[in-house]
Amino acid sequence: MDSGDVYLPTAPPAMPPTPGLPAAHSPNNPFGEPASETGPVGRARKRLGGAAAAVIALFAKFFAAIKGLFLLLPNLKLVTTAGTALVSVVLYSLFWGWTFAFGFVALMFVHEMGHVIQLRREGIKASAPMFIPGFGAVVMMKAMPDDALAEARVGLAGPVLGSLGAAVCLAIGEATNSDMLRALAYVGFLLNLINLVPLVPFDGGRAMAAMAPSLWFVGLGVMVALLLATGNPFLLIFVLLGGMETWRRWKLRGTRSLEQAAYYRVSPRNRMLVGAVYIGLIVALAFGMHESQVLVSAGHSFQIN
């Protein structure tokens, strides 16, 4: 039934009269009612059968109609991405207004699509970008990359494409003299810079898998310091996630198995390339933040609404 058509079972065939019994007492009419359909029982049975047939026909038409509707529905991944993006826009608009909220979610989408594109290049199945209001967005990998170098490429692809998205906002903002676009670019640069914290599950932590896994502990220390300095409860979530993932990975590396050795074996040349991209991104993002910063003074206020 791959075609999606509605199949209804046929009614069971009528049983023939039992030899030696009159038709009125056959198994089809065990209570001895006249076989004629013209009596009260027959007419009631006929009306009941007609009503049942009408109900069955109504259900058949209903399912035939929604069959076409289901065929017209977008892919479930697209529904998930669009739905969670819409919820995020609504939430962020309460603080920043609709225009800025939409731009912010769009920049997060560009960042996540960097991961999706690279995951496809690596031959790894992944979910569509899913937005978590208040926390950002995420792409779930169906499997780990083949090695730490591939993991680093996947991790850095998000900030690379995300930085380009923020740079486009800055270029358009400068061309149109739009402080709103400059502010949006600034937030985009900041978002991608934060993601370079050398702690898994941040993108910087995935880059460290190919550069120097021991720097995960440095990233964890930085996150703990930020938590103590700001008291932001959201940072506690990242500290817990990062701490558990760092401990899990470090224990696996401590087994010194052949599989773990092969996963983290990266040539010095590739290690330097990953390091160059990582440091280059940090410098470029810091420069972008400096160039896109919008100053607010007593005489010149900026409303992102």
Side-chain angles (χ1 to χ4, degrees):
M1 307 210 299
D2 294 335
S3 64
D5 292 332
V6 178
Y7 290 86
L8 297 176
T10 57
M15 297 176 63
T18 303
L21 289 177
H25 294 276
S26 69
N28 289 321
N29 196 358
F31 298 105
E33 297 291 341
S36 172
E37 295 293 331
T38 58
V41 176
R43 286 194 298 270
R45 186 183 300 167
K46 197 170 184 179
R47 286 195 298 270
L48 184 60
V55 171
I56 292 173
L58 183 61
F59 272 102
K61 289 181 180 180
F62 172 73
F63 284 110
I66 65 171
K67 174 195 70 174
L69 184 62
F70 277 119
L71 293 176
L72 293 176
L73 281 176
N75 187 278
L76 184 58
K77 290 184 177 181
L78 181 60
V79 173
T80 302
T81 300
T84 55
L86 178 60
V87 173
S88 295
V89 169
V90 172
L91 175 65
Y92 297 135
S93 68
L94 299 177
F95 304 96
W96 303 327
W98 289 101
T99 306
F100 195 88
F102 179 82
F104 180 62
V105 171
L107 284 177
M108 284 196 292
F109 177 76
V110 171
H111 175 104
E112 295 303 326
M113 284 306 298
H115 296 310
V116 171
I117 292 171
Q118 188 59 39
L119 283 167
R120 289 182 179 178
R121 289 169 59 90
E122 302 289 345
I124 302 172
K125 293 183 179 180
S127 68
M130 183 174 66
F131 295 87
I132 306 174
F135 289 91
V138 65
V139 170
M140 305 297 292
M141 294 186 294
K142 304 297 184 182
M144 284 294 291
D146 292 334
D147 50 47
L149 181 59
E151 182 181 358
R153 288 195 294 262
V154 170
L156 292 175
V160 167
L161 195 60
S163 301
L164 291 176
V168 169
C169 281
L170 178 58
I172 298 175
E174 292 294 330
T176 60
N177 195 27
S178 170
D179 279 345
M180 193 277 289
L181 287 176
R182 291 190 186 102
L184 190 60
Y186 180 88
V187 173
F189 289 130
L190 177 61
L191 174 71
N192 286 280
L193 185 60
I194 292 174
N195 269 280
L196 290 177
V197 172
L199 176 66
V200 180
F202 290 100
D203 300 330
R206 300 198 179 280
M208 290 305 110
M211 287 176 57
S214 59
L215 290 180
W216 288 331
F217 294 100
V218 175
L220 182 60
V222 170
M223 195 61 64
V224 171
L226 287 174
L227 172 63
L228 295 176
T230 64
N232 190 326
F234 289 130
L235 292 178
L236 178 60
I237 297 175
F238 294 121
V239 167
L240 294 176
L241 289 175
M244 290 188 294
E245 183 64 11
T246 298
W247 177 250
R248 185 188 71 84
R249 286 195 172 208
W250 201 255
K251 282 183 63 178
L252 284 175
R253 292 190 75 234
T255 61
R256 300 184 182 277
S257 65
L258 294 178
E259 182 181 3
Q260 287 292 306
Y263 186 85
Y264 289 100
R265 186 179 298 118
V266 180
S267 68
R269 175 179 176 275
N270 287 330
R271 201 181 301 272
M272 290 180 61
L273 286 174
V274 172
V277 173
Y278 181 78
I279 296 173
L281 274 172
I282 293 176
V283 173
L285 289 168
F287 177 76
M289 288 176 64
H290 177 270
E291 292 298 310
S292 58
Q293 186 174 14
V294 178
L295 297 179
V296 180
S297 64
H300 299 84
S301 62
F302 167 59
Q303 297 292 333
I304 59 178
N305 290 327

